[in-house]
Amino acid sequence: MPKLKILPMNIEVDVEENTVLADAIKAVIPEFPTPCGGLGFCGRCRVRVIVDGLSEPSGNERVLLGGSRFRLSCQAKVIGDTVVEILKPHEEHKITVSGIEPTIEFRDPIIRAIEVRLNGVFEAPLSKVLLEEAGGTIHVDGAVLKLANVKSKNVRVLVDWSGRIIGLRENRSRNLGLAVDLGTTKIAGYLVDLETGESLGESYVINPQIDFGDDVVTRIMRALEPKGLIELRERAIAGIESVALKTCSREGLNPKDIVASVIVGNNVMTNILLGLPVETLAKHPYQPILASPVLLRGKTVGFNLLENTLIYMPPGVAGFVGSDAVADIVLVWKLGLNGKILILDVGTNTEIVLIEDWRRILVTSAPAGPAVEGAHISIGARVVDRAFRKARVSSRGEIILEPSIENPVGLTGSALISLLACLLEKNYIDEGGRIVEGFDVDSTGLKRITVYRSRDGETLSLTQLDVRELQKAKAAIAAGWRTILEKAGTNALDYVVVAGSFGSSINVEHAIRIGLLPDVGRDKVIVVGNAAGIGAKAIMLNGECRRVGEEVSRKAFYLNLAELGEWEKTWVQSLFLRPIKIS
Amino acid sequence: MSREEIEKLLRELRNRVLEGDDEGAENIVTRLAELRVDPKRIIEEALTPAMNKAGELYEVGEYFIPELMMAAEAFKAAFNVVKPLLKTDETGGRATIIIGTVAGDIHELGKNLVATMLRIAGYNVVDLGVNVPAEKFVEEALKHGAKIIGLSALMSTTMVEQRKVIEILEKKGLRDKFKVIVGGAPVTEDWARQIGADAYGRDAFEAVRKVRMLLGEEGSA
């Protein structure tokens, strides 16, 4: 058993081989911080390596730490004798825990607030004074036409990035910005201070549209019904306003102070939010009405709480691929990745992007279906409460489900993916996905493998048909990226970026083992978390990111998988559970 | 050649088809034809049971799409050898079924499997291919005197086309003339009921069972 020595406490412990370093440290130092939950996003569990007995660095460590002597203890596994030093956390402001956040310079933000001193008497028309002080042009808008109401001596003039004055604020009020990822399942909000660029907090709510169905397509079907679009739009608005409220109240802030918001989402979500019909997405050639950037006043969109907020919706690409994918790409650009990059935003509808040296960008989306999120699997769990989130084979050869919980309801999508890899490793299933002989067979001939047994005899079993559903979902994603790589004539990748909240909890080795992710080596895979939301935040705070977003949208070439006859053949080939080598 | 040996060859043929060995199946069936074994017997005792077994294995997940496709290929290879030997009254006679993937949808895998299984079950299948406009289904059904129209949709966004076909039938006063069966990954029993289809087939095998039911042949082999 390898020995682990932790400095400066000078604690020495024996740890089982392949233990995650953070787990080993937490076992003796419970207060050791892992704010992002050990997903490799926040960098707070950084340690300095004195004696290196650790596994190879992951892609996340490569991006977050460069080539230094530091490691992320949530990513490194203890293989041999190791000595590490825990670093004193330097008090940073709020850290983002839902994804990797690059340094975003606060430069040319979406809105600037410029302080103008008025001494009660102005020597030129007030509008002119404001214009000169703020250096902008007056935008004809209700808020600005209320110039006569300016009573206080000092005001702040809100100027958007193009120089238009879009509002006046009392001097003491705060100016907040909210970046929103309007997802089909979750709506995530990121609150920033628009005077300093500082992050103020983040939260999410479940998209209230979920009552109408799990995926984009069921939403489209709903929108086709009488009043369906109105209901869906109202729920999108309610969802965004509740995430605004939730994020603000958590930090003791007033949502009325949100002066600007950047909202991203797939094309179904963004078009619904704007009240645009989505039926054109329901039939060949599956295009939305709108994928261009829009800048609107909150009231025009239909917001109440955010009626005075300036809303910027970055452009999407085409088909279902919307501004969320553009925001993903902006984030990847901001992380400074170069070369050939494959981005997979894994979910019910998986967005796939191939970037070749930032010269060519190909995008598509693959209909994985809800099985990847645990739905329609007899032991699948869509929620993380009382669900197993991980599966692994222990050194004694047992399949272990984690975390240890009472009365588990099932396994999350990412745990199911890991479970398939474990069953393969144990030769309980073959690469075709067939459960081998020797397992329980019911009277209809259906085989099942019991993967969990509680003390009082409750069991969780994966059936042969469950394996088949998972294979189909996995094949849809794999066929998506195989097709896009083939179309591009690319067979080498420098990075595979896994985005999306579902993707955050995926075990990379296991996903490679079953062929869900291309077999490129662990150090080339970066799990970035909610790239769309953080990308939206970058677009809000940084003008260059905003321009990159608009450029990406123009440059990206959209491939419609459903139009490619060979896609189905690739899908059948991808049903097999085996690694797909990409150099 | 002894009776036992012929029976052994038939069993072997059944296994070759089930295992998806198209060359092997073709060789054995050619041998059986040379031995002047009744082609009807080859179909009834080897080819059809092999596909029925493949269907049973598929329903419990033992067989998956690749195995099924291979078995269907092997069936076709063997059937093509036998087909010219069948007397005319043995080839036709059963109901005609119009099948296709609806407009806006070019998925063919599922539809092809259903078409193959229906042919194996002895039906006269007219496959219109993919991206078939709703009107075309109705025109072709009339032209071929079909009893059944099978509509495949692999995307929830194209499912609405299935409804469209039924609406056209209603508008033209032809609804009673044809039975409509729908299928495809996003399609459900509920959806079939909602749009007024006569049946829903979860997979190729259920589709064949439902077709038999619709034609009042339930219980027949």
Side-chain angles (χ1 to χ4, degrees), chain A residues 47 66 99 126 149 165 180 274 351 474 507:
Chain A
V47 293
L126 174 58
N149 295 342
I165 294 179
V180 177
L274 293 171
E351 278 96 24
K474 171 257 161 185
N507 176 310

Side-chain angles (χ1 to χ4, degrees), chain B residues 71-162:
Chain B
E73 283 305 312
F75 176 92
K76 267 192 244 168
F79 189 71
N80 285 341
V81 176
V82 181
K83 203 177 170 189
L85 310 174
L86 287 168
K87 293 183 208 104
T88 38
D89 65 329
E90 290 168 344
T91 54
R94 294 190 78 173
T96 296
I97 299 168
I98 297 287
I99 191 171
T101 305
V102 297
D105 199 327
I106 61 153
H107 292 88
E108 55 177 358
L109 197 121
K111 182 263 301 166
N112 288 352
L113 270 175
V114 175
T116 305
M117 293 307 150
L118 287 169
R119 286 196 180 110
I120 288 167
Y123 294 104
N124 175 33
V125 177
V126 180
D127 185 347
L128 302 180
V130 297
N131 195 12
V132 181
E135 297 77 18
K136 176 114 173 158
F137 280 104
V138 180
E139 280 164 28
E140 295 287 322
L142 281 171
K143 194 167 104 193
H144 292 277
K147 290 234 163 48
I148 288 183
I149 301 175
L151 304 169
S152 172
L154 266 292
M155 293 185 283
S156 347
T157 46
T158 56
M159 277 159 62
V160 280
E161 284 289 321
Q162 297 179 329

